[in-house]
Amino acid sequence: MFPKLDPILHSELRLAVMSILAEVESAEFSYLRKQTDSTAGNLSVQIDKLSAAGYITVEKGFKGKMPCTTCKITPEGIEAFKNYVTALKEYIS
Amino acid sequence: MEKTNENKEMTAQESLSLINEVLNKSRKSILRNNGKHFILWGVLLTVLSLGIYELWHITGNPIWNLLWFAMPIIGIPLVKLISRKDDAIPQNVISKQISKVWLAYCVFVTSIFVISIFTGLIELSLVIVLLLGFAECISGIMLKNWPIIISGFILGVGGAFAAALMPTAAEQLLLFTIGGVILVVTGLIIKFQYK
């Protein structure tokens, strides 16, 4: 029987955000937006969902006088991402 | 990547492709950014080494070597300036390790430089050019780029050999000009590799 895919990660934009964050220590909102080619509103909603699931932490601060949001993957997020990729591979094989 | 859609139903294959595509795009953007730093430090090294060589050559006074301390004074603010413009590109494991290699290089060179000023026992140019080539070579290994690995090896080993053969310390400075040019070329190779 195939493992169930994590519904939090099984969404295009959330998966893209998690893929980027899995590779870096942290990333700013502007970088995530540029890399995922998404709108600020949509990205913000998806980041909130990932944060609510405990997969990422979101830190709001300032860079000079400009507001700056930084996202970081949590150990739970890394574990969930690993499990998701493993499940995907089982589906394919 | 096409515009991401939250509600799009993805197959397992599509999900894996998306992960691969996003990771590659992000990785390219991070490593391409490294190229800028190689170019900046390469230009600085080329200009300073030529300047110090000329001043030393004209005046005959090695005191001009103290101008090397201008390198971090000019370079670090410039790094901060270009980093501010690059839309907050983060670092990944490879870019972080490359930064650490070059930080270690700076610590080694500064220590050797200070020891040499006080003792005069170390063949300074030979050691520094060897370290420069070594750091370049390690960067190439991390980036899996053969031209960078080979140029690092040639710069380090060839430069050390040339330094031993050169008659005056002033002439040895030209090895750093070559080193600076190699750093610029490395930066251009990185930018091209991760275009």
Side-chain angles (χ1 to χ4, degrees):
Chain A
M1 188 176 158
F2 290 122
K4 194 172 176 290
L5 289 174
D6 185 339
I8 297 286
L9 295 181
H10 200 58
S11 132
E12 199 173 352
L13 184 49
R14 288 196 293 270
L15 184 59
V17 170
M18 287 295 282
S19 305
I20 295 167
L21 292 177
E23 166 109 333
V24 299
E25 201 171 293
S26 64
E28 289 181 15
F29 185 86
S30 58
Y31 179 77
L32 292 173
R33 198 183 146 191
K34 196 174 173 184
Q35 293 296 311
T36 56
D37 199 15
S38 57
T39 62
N42 193 10
L43 180 61
S44 189
V45 169
Q46 304 317 320
I47 281 176
D48 284 344
K49 285 185 183 173
L50 288 169
S51 175
Y55 290 174
I56 64 170
T57 56
V58 180
E59 204 176 287
K60 290 182 193 284
F62 283 90
K63 207 174 173 185
K65 288 179 182 172
M66 298 292 286
C68 175
T69 302
T70 308
C71 302
K72 189 175 181 178
I73 198 164
T74 62
E76 293 78 29
I78 292 171
E79 197 55 40
F81 186 69
K82 273 186 196 167
N83 291 338
Y84 181 78
V85 173
T86 308
L88 285 179
K89 283 178 180 168
E90 280 182 39
Y91 269 91
I92 289 169
S93 62
Chain B
M1 192 173 73
E2 285 173 33
K3 280 213 180 268
T4 43
N5 177 4
E6 188 214 348
N7 302 317
K8 187 186 166 192
E9 271 297 315
M10 294 185 295
T11 64
Q13 186 63 53
E14 280 173 342
S15 292
L16 275 178
S17 298
L18 174 76
I19 293 170
N20 205 25
E21 190 186 338
V22 171
L23 268 177
N24 273 337
K25 189 181 171 193
S26 178
R27 200 169 286 168
K28 273 184 182 178
S29 153
I30 292 167
L31 294 177
R32 188 171 57 237
N33 190 48
N34 259 23
K36 272 195 242 175
H37 296 260
F38 275 92
I39 294 171
L40 188 149
W41 289 108
V43 168
L44 210 52
L45 181 59
T46 306
V47 171
L48 262 180
S49 59
L50 275 176
I52 295 169
Y53 169 77
E54 274 301 316
L55 289 167
W56 192 353
H57 200 67
I58 293 163
T59 63
N61 192 342
I63 193 81
W64 294 108
N65 276 295
L66 289 176
L67 279 177
W68 284 115
F69 287 110
M71 200 151 165
I73 295 169
I74 301 168
I76 293 169
L78 282 177
V79 166
K80 287 193 174 167
L81 187 74
I82 61 166
S83 300
R84 204 183 298 167
K85 284 184 179 172
D86 59 21
D87 204 14
I89 295 174
Q91 291 219 311
N92 67 3
V93 178
I94 299 170
S95 68
K96 232 186 273 179
Q97 295 308 317
I98 290 174
S99 298
K100 284 178 185 170
V101 166
W102 286 96
L103 184 67
Y105 166 77
C106 292
V107 171
F108 270 67
V109 167
T110 310
S111 308
I112 289 287
F113 190 78
V114 171
I115 291 168
S116 173
I117 286 173
F118 289 109
T119 64
L121 293 174
I122 300 166
E123 184 64 57
L124 205 54
S125 301
L126 188 149
V127 175
I128 294 176
V129 83
L130 185 65
L131 288 172
L132 182 64
F134 186 70
E136 165 88 0
C137 195
I138 297 286
S139 303
I141 290 168
M142 284 175 180
L143 293 165
K144 295 178 184 162
N145 186 306
W146 276 103
I148 299 175
I149 296 170
I150 293 165
S151 64
F153 179 80
I154 292 170
L155 177 64
V157 177
F161 185 64
L165 293 177
M166 281 176 161
T168 66
E171 284 177 2
Q172 290 173 354
L173 281 178
L174 294 175
L175 291 171
F176 298 115
T177 309
I178 296 168
V181 171
I182 287 178
L183 286 186
V184 172
V185 173
T186 301
L188 295 173
I189 290 172
I190 292 171
K191 276 180 157 283
F192 182 75
Q193 184 182 0
Y194 298 104
K195 203 174 173 183

